[in-house]
Short mmCIF file of all heavy atoms in Angstrom, two decimals:
data_model
loop_
_atom_site.label_atom_id
_atom_site.label_comp_id
_atom_site.label_asym_id
_atom_site.label_seq_id
_atom_site.Cartn_x
_atom_site.Cartn_y
_atom_site.Cartn_z
N ASP A 1 0.85 -1.19 0.00
CA ASP A 1 0.00 0.00 0.00
C ASP A 1 0.89 1.24 0.00
O ASP A 1 2.10 1.15 0.08
CB ASP A 1 -0.99 -0.01 1.18
CG ASP A 1 -0.32 0.22 2.52
OD1 ASP A 1 0.91 0.37 2.58
OD2 ASP A 1 -1.04 0.24 3.53
N GLN A 2 0.26 2.41 -0.10
CA GLN A 2 1.01 3.66 -0.19
C GLN A 2 1.57 4.10 1.16
O GLN A 2 2.35 5.04 1.22
CB GLN A 2 0.11 4.75 -0.76
CG GLN A 2 -0.32 4.47 -2.19
CD GLN A 2 -1.40 5.42 -2.67
OE1 GLN A 2 -2.09 6.04 -1.88
NE2 GLN A 2 -1.55 5.51 -3.99
N LYS A 3 1.20 3.41 2.23
CA LYS A 3 1.67 3.80 3.56
C LYS A 3 2.85 2.95 4.02
O LYS A 3 3.21 2.99 5.19
CB LYS A 3 0.52 3.68 4.55
CG LYS A 3 -0.62 4.64 4.24
CD LYS A 3 -1.76 4.46 5.18
CE LYS A 3 -2.90 5.38 4.82
NZ LYS A 3 -4.10 5.13 5.60
N GLY A 4 3.42 2.16 3.14
CA GLY A 4 4.65 1.45 3.48
C GLY A 4 4.50 0.05 4.05
O GLY A 4 5.39 -0.43 4.73
N VAL A 5 3.39 -0.61 3.78
CA VAL A 5 3.22 -2.00 4.17
C VAL A 5 3.38 -2.84 2.92
O VAL A 5 2.74 -2.59 1.90
CB VAL A 5 1.83 -2.26 4.80
CG1 VAL A 5 1.67 -3.73 5.17
CG2 VAL A 5 1.61 -1.38 6.00
N SER A 6 4.24 -3.86 2.99
CA SER A 6 4.47 -4.71 1.83
C SER A 6 4.54 -6.17 2.28
O SER A 6 5.21 -6.50 3.25
CB SER A 6 5.78 -4.32 1.14
OG SER A 6 6.08 -5.21 0.10
N VAL A 7 3.81 -7.04 1.57
CA VAL A 7 3.86 -8.48 1.81
C VAL A 7 4.25 -9.13 0.49
O VAL A 7 3.65 -8.87 -0.55
CB VAL A 7 2.49 -9.03 2.28
CG1 VAL A 7 2.54 -10.53 2.45
CG2 VAL A 7 2.07 -8.35 3.57
N SER A 8 5.27 -9.97 0.55
CA SER A 8 5.77 -10.62 -0.65
C SER A 8 5.91 -12.12 -0.38
O SER A 8 6.44 -12.51 0.66
CB SER A 8 7.13 -10.02 -1.03
OG SER A 8 7.68 -10.71 -2.11
N CYS A 9 5.44 -12.95 -1.31
CA CYS A 9 5.56 -14.40 -1.17
C CYS A 9 6.25 -14.97 -2.40
O CYS A 9 5.86 -14.68 -3.53
CB CYS A 9 4.20 -15.06 -1.02
SG CYS A 9 3.42 -14.76 0.58
N ASP A 10 7.28 -15.75 -2.16
CA ASP A 10 7.99 -16.45 -3.22
C ASP A 10 7.54 -17.90 -3.17
O ASP A 10 7.90 -18.65 -2.25
CB ASP A 10 9.50 -16.34 -3.00
CG ASP A 10 10.30 -16.89 -4.16
OD1 ASP A 10 9.86 -17.89 -4.77
OD2 ASP A 10 11.35 -16.32 -4.47
N PHE A 11 6.73 -18.31 -4.15
CA PHE A 11 6.16 -19.65 -4.16
C PHE A 11 7.21 -20.73 -4.39
O PHE A 11 7.06 -21.85 -3.94
CB PHE A 11 5.07 -19.76 -5.23
CG PHE A 11 3.90 -18.85 -4.98
CD1 PHE A 11 3.32 -18.16 -6.03
CD2 PHE A 11 3.36 -18.70 -3.72
CE1 PHE A 11 2.23 -17.32 -5.81
CE2 PHE A 11 2.28 -17.87 -3.49
CZ PHE A 11 1.71 -17.18 -4.54
N GLN A 12 8.26 -20.39 -5.10
CA GLN A 12 9.29 -21.39 -5.40
C GLN A 12 9.98 -21.86 -4.12
O GLN A 12 10.29 -23.02 -3.96
CB GLN A 12 10.31 -20.81 -6.37
CG GLN A 12 11.38 -21.81 -6.78
CD GLN A 12 12.31 -21.22 -7.83
OE1 GLN A 12 12.13 -20.10 -8.30
NE2 GLN A 12 13.32 -22.00 -8.20
N TYR A 13 10.21 -20.94 -3.18
CA TYR A 13 10.93 -21.28 -1.95
C TYR A 13 10.02 -21.34 -0.72
O TYR A 13 10.50 -21.52 0.39
CB TYR A 13 12.05 -20.27 -1.72
CG TYR A 13 13.06 -20.27 -2.83
CD1 TYR A 13 13.12 -19.22 -3.74
CD2 TYR A 13 13.94 -21.33 -2.99
CE1 TYR A 13 14.03 -19.22 -4.78
CE2 TYR A 13 14.86 -21.35 -4.03
CZ TYR A 13 14.90 -20.28 -4.91
OH TYR A 13 15.80 -20.30 -5.94
N ASP A 14 8.70 -21.14 -0.91
CA ASP A 14 7.75 -21.13 0.20
C ASP A 14 8.16 -20.15 1.30
O ASP A 14 8.16 -20.47 2.48
CB ASP A 14 7.57 -22.53 0.80
CG ASP A 14 6.82 -23.46 -0.13
OD1 ASP A 14 5.99 -22.97 -0.92
OD2 ASP A 14 7.06 -24.68 -0.08
N VAL A 15 8.53 -18.93 0.89
CA VAL A 15 8.94 -17.89 1.83
C VAL A 15 8.09 -16.65 1.60
O VAL A 15 7.93 -16.19 0.47
CB VAL A 15 10.44 -17.54 1.63
CG1 VAL A 15 10.83 -16.36 2.49
CG2 VAL A 15 11.31 -18.74 1.97
N CYS A 16 7.54 -16.12 2.69
CA CYS A 16 6.80 -14.86 2.61
C CYS A 16 7.48 -13.87 3.55
O CYS A 16 7.94 -14.23 4.63
CB CYS A 16 5.35 -15.05 3.04
SG CYS A 16 4.38 -16.06 1.90
N THR A 17 7.54 -12.61 3.13
CA THR A 17 8.14 -11.56 3.94
C THR A 17 7.15 -10.42 4.13
O THR A 17 6.34 -10.15 3.25
CB THR A 17 9.43 -11.01 3.31
OG1 THR A 17 9.12 -10.48 2.03
CG2 THR A 17 10.50 -12.07 3.18
N VAL A 18 7.26 -9.77 5.27
CA VAL A 18 6.45 -8.59 5.57
C VAL A 18 7.43 -7.46 5.84
O VAL A 18 8.34 -7.60 6.65
CB VAL A 18 5.56 -8.83 6.80
CG1 VAL A 18 4.79 -7.56 7.15
CG2 VAL A 18 4.61 -9.99 6.57
N THR A 19 7.24 -6.33 5.15
CA THR A 19 8.11 -5.17 5.34
C THR A 19 7.24 -3.98 5.75
O THR A 19 6.22 -3.71 5.11
CB THR A 19 8.86 -4.84 4.03
OG1 THR A 19 9.55 -6.01 3.59
CG2 THR A 19 9.86 -3.72 4.25
N LEU A 20 7.67 -3.29 6.81
CA LEU A 20 6.94 -2.12 7.29
C LEU A 20 7.85 -0.90 7.23
O LEU A 20 8.99 -0.96 7.68
CB LEU A 20 6.47 -2.32 8.74
CG LEU A 20 5.54 -3.50 9.01
CD1 LEU A 20 5.24 -3.59 10.50
CD2 LEU A 20 4.27 -3.37 8.22
N ALA A 21 7.33 0.19 6.71
CA ALA A 21 8.08 1.45 6.66
C ALA A 21 8.14 2.07 8.06
O ALA A 21 7.43 1.65 8.97
CB ALA A 21 7.43 2.41 5.68
N GLY A 22 8.96 3.08 8.21
CA GLY A 22 9.11 3.75 9.50
C GLY A 22 7.83 4.33 10.06
O GLY A 22 7.71 4.52 11.27
N TRP A 23 6.85 4.60 9.20
CA TRP A 23 5.57 5.15 9.67
C TRP A 23 4.88 4.19 10.64
O TRP A 23 4.05 4.59 11.43
CB TRP A 23 4.63 5.40 8.49
CG TRP A 23 5.15 6.39 7.52
CD1 TRP A 23 5.68 6.14 6.29
CD2 TRP A 23 5.23 7.81 7.69
NE1 TRP A 23 6.07 7.30 5.69
CE2 TRP A 23 5.80 8.35 6.53
CE3 TRP A 23 4.86 8.67 8.72
CZ2 TRP A 23 6.02 9.70 6.37
CZ3 TRP A 23 5.08 10.02 8.56
CH2 TRP A 23 5.65 10.52 7.40
N HIS A 24 5.22 2.90 10.55
CA HIS A 24 4.57 1.88 11.38
C HIS A 24 5.43 1.48 12.58
O HIS A 24 5.19 0.44 13.19
CB HIS A 24 4.25 0.67 10.52
CG HIS A 24 3.35 0.98 9.37
ND1 HIS A 24 2.01 1.29 9.53
CD2 HIS A 24 3.59 1.09 8.05
CE1 HIS A 24 1.48 1.56 8.35
NE2 HIS A 24 2.42 1.45 7.44
N HIS A 25 6.40 2.31 12.93
CA HIS A 25 7.29 2.04 14.06
C HIS A 25 6.50 1.98 15.36
O HIS A 25 5.83 2.95 15.75
CB HIS A 25 8.36 3.14 14.14
CG HIS A 25 9.33 2.96 15.26
ND1 HIS A 25 10.39 2.10 15.19
CD2 HIS A 25 9.37 3.53 16.50
CE1 HIS A 25 11.06 2.14 16.32
NE2 HIS A 25 10.47 3.00 17.13
N GLY A 26 6.55 0.83 16.02
CA GLY A 26 5.95 0.69 17.34
C GLY A 26 4.45 0.66 17.42
O GLY A 26 3.90 0.79 18.51
N VAL A 27 3.74 0.49 16.31
CA VAL A 27 2.27 0.47 16.37
C VAL A 27 1.69 -0.92 16.15
O VAL A 27 0.49 -1.10 16.23
CB VAL A 27 1.63 1.44 15.34
CG1 VAL A 27 2.06 2.86 15.61
CG2 VAL A 27 1.92 1.03 13.92
N SER A 28 2.56 -1.90 15.88
CA SER A 28 2.04 -3.23 15.59
C SER A 28 2.44 -4.23 16.67
O SER A 28 3.36 -4.00 17.45
CB SER A 28 2.53 -3.71 14.23
OG SER A 28 3.93 -3.93 14.24
N ALA A 29 1.71 -5.33 16.69
CA ALA A 29 2.02 -6.42 17.61
C ALA A 29 1.53 -7.72 16.96
O ALA A 29 0.77 -7.70 16.01
CB ALA A 29 1.34 -6.21 18.95
N GLY A 30 1.98 -8.82 17.50
CA GLY A 30 1.65 -10.14 16.98
C GLY A 30 2.87 -11.03 17.11
O GLY A 30 3.84 -10.70 17.80
N LEU A 31 2.85 -12.17 16.43
CA LEU A 31 4.00 -13.08 16.49
C LEU A 31 5.26 -12.45 15.92
O LEU A 31 6.36 -12.85 16.26
CB LEU A 31 3.71 -14.38 15.75
CG LEU A 31 2.85 -15.40 16.48
CD1 LEU A 31 2.75 -16.68 15.67
CD2 LEU A 31 3.38 -15.70 17.86
N PHE A 32 5.11 -11.45 15.05
CA PHE A 32 6.28 -10.78 14.49
C PHE A 32 6.85 -9.72 15.42
O PHE A 32 7.78 -9.01 15.07
CB PHE A 32 5.95 -10.15 13.13
CG PHE A 32 5.83 -11.14 12.01
CD1 PHE A 32 5.30 -10.75 10.80
CD2 PHE A 32 6.23 -12.46 12.14
CE1 PHE A 32 5.19 -11.64 9.75
CE2 PHE A 32 6.12 -13.36 11.11
CZ PHE A 32 5.60 -12.96 9.90
N GLY A 33 6.29 -9.57 16.60
CA GLY A 33 6.84 -8.63 17.58
C GLY A 33 6.23 -7.25 17.49
O GLY A 33 5.21 -7.03 16.84
N THR A 34 6.91 -6.29 18.13
CA THR A 34 6.36 -4.94 18.28
C THR A 34 6.90 -3.92 17.28
O THR A 34 6.43 -2.79 17.26
CB THR A 34 6.65 -4.42 19.71
OG1 THR A 34 8.07 -4.49 19.92
CG2 THR A 34 5.92 -5.24 20.75
N ASN A 35 7.89 -4.29 16.49
CA ASN A 35 8.42 -3.41 15.45
C ASN A 35 8.85 -2.04 16.01
O ASN A 35 8.54 -0.99 15.44
CB ASN A 35 7.41 -3.22 14.31
CG ASN A 35 8.01 -2.51 13.12
OD1 ASN A 35 9.15 -2.77 12.73
ND2 ASN A 35 7.26 -1.59 12.54
N ASP A 36 9.54 -2.06 17.14
CA ASP A 36 10.02 -0.79 17.69
C ASP A 36 11.53 -0.82 17.99
O ASP A 36 12.04 0.04 18.70
CB ASP A 36 9.24 -0.41 18.94
CG ASP A 36 9.41 -1.41 20.07
OD1 ASP A 36 10.12 -2.43 19.90
OD2 ASP A 36 8.83 -1.17 21.15
N ASN A 37 12.23 -1.81 17.45
CA ASN A 37 13.68 -1.96 17.60
C ASN A 37 14.12 -2.16 19.05
O ASN A 37 15.27 -1.91 19.39
CB ASN A 37 14.43 -0.77 17.00
CG ASN A 37 14.26 -0.70 15.50
OD1 ASN A 37 14.15 -1.73 14.84
ND2 ASN A 37 14.22 0.50 14.96
N GLU A 38 13.22 -2.59 19.91
CA GLU A 38 13.55 -2.89 21.30
C GLU A 38 13.47 -4.40 21.50
O GLU A 38 12.38 -4.97 21.47
CB GLU A 38 12.58 -2.18 22.26
CG GLU A 38 12.63 -0.69 22.21
CD GLU A 38 13.94 -0.13 22.74
OE1 GLU A 38 14.58 -0.77 23.60
OE2 GLU A 38 14.33 0.96 22.27
N ALA A 39 14.61 -5.04 21.70
CA ALA A 39 14.64 -6.50 21.84
C ALA A 39 13.91 -6.97 23.09
O ALA A 39 13.38 -8.08 23.14
CB ALA A 39 16.08 -6.99 21.86
N GLY A 40 13.83 -6.15 24.10
CA GLY A 40 13.25 -6.55 25.38
C GLY A 40 11.75 -6.71 25.39
O GLY A 40 11.19 -7.29 26.33
N ASN A 41 11.04 -6.20 24.39
CA ASN A 41 9.57 -6.31 24.43
C ASN A 41 8.99 -7.07 23.24
O ASN A 41 7.80 -6.96 22.96
CB ASN A 41 8.94 -4.92 24.54
CG ASN A 41 9.16 -4.07 23.31
OD1 ASN A 41 9.78 -4.50 22.34
ND2 ASN A 41 8.66 -2.86 23.35
N GLU A 42 9.80 -7.83 22.55
CA GLU A 42 9.31 -8.56 21.38
C GLU A 42 8.32 -9.66 21.74
O GLU A 42 7.50 -10.03 20.93
CB GLU A 42 10.48 -9.17 20.60
CG GLU A 42 11.33 -8.13 19.89
CD GLU A 42 10.54 -7.27 18.91
OE1 GLU A 42 9.88 -7.83 18.02
OE2 GLU A 42 10.60 -6.05 19.03
N TRP A 43 8.42 -10.20 22.93
CA TRP A 43 7.57 -11.32 23.33
C TRP A 43 6.37 -10.85 24.15
O TRP A 43 5.97 -11.46 25.12
CB TRP A 43 8.40 -12.34 24.10
CG TRP A 43 9.33 -13.09 23.19
CD1 TRP A 43 10.22 -12.56 22.32
CD2 TRP A 43 9.44 -14.49 23.05
NE1 TRP A 43 10.89 -13.54 21.65
CE2 TRP A 43 10.43 -14.75 22.09
CE3 TRP A 43 8.81 -15.56 23.67
CZ2 TRP A 43 10.80 -16.02 21.71
CZ3 TRP A 43 9.18 -16.84 23.30
CH2 TRP A 43 10.16 -17.06 22.33
#
C-alpha cells in the first residue's frame, strides 16, 4: 500500500516476507513482535 506495508511471497521457496516502513514504528504487535527496535519487548 502507499503507507509502506508490503507483503511478498515467493512460491518457489515457500517464503513470505512482511516489510513495514518507518511510519509503522511501534504500532504493531503479533508473532512478528512490536516493530520498535527494542529487543526486550518482542515477546
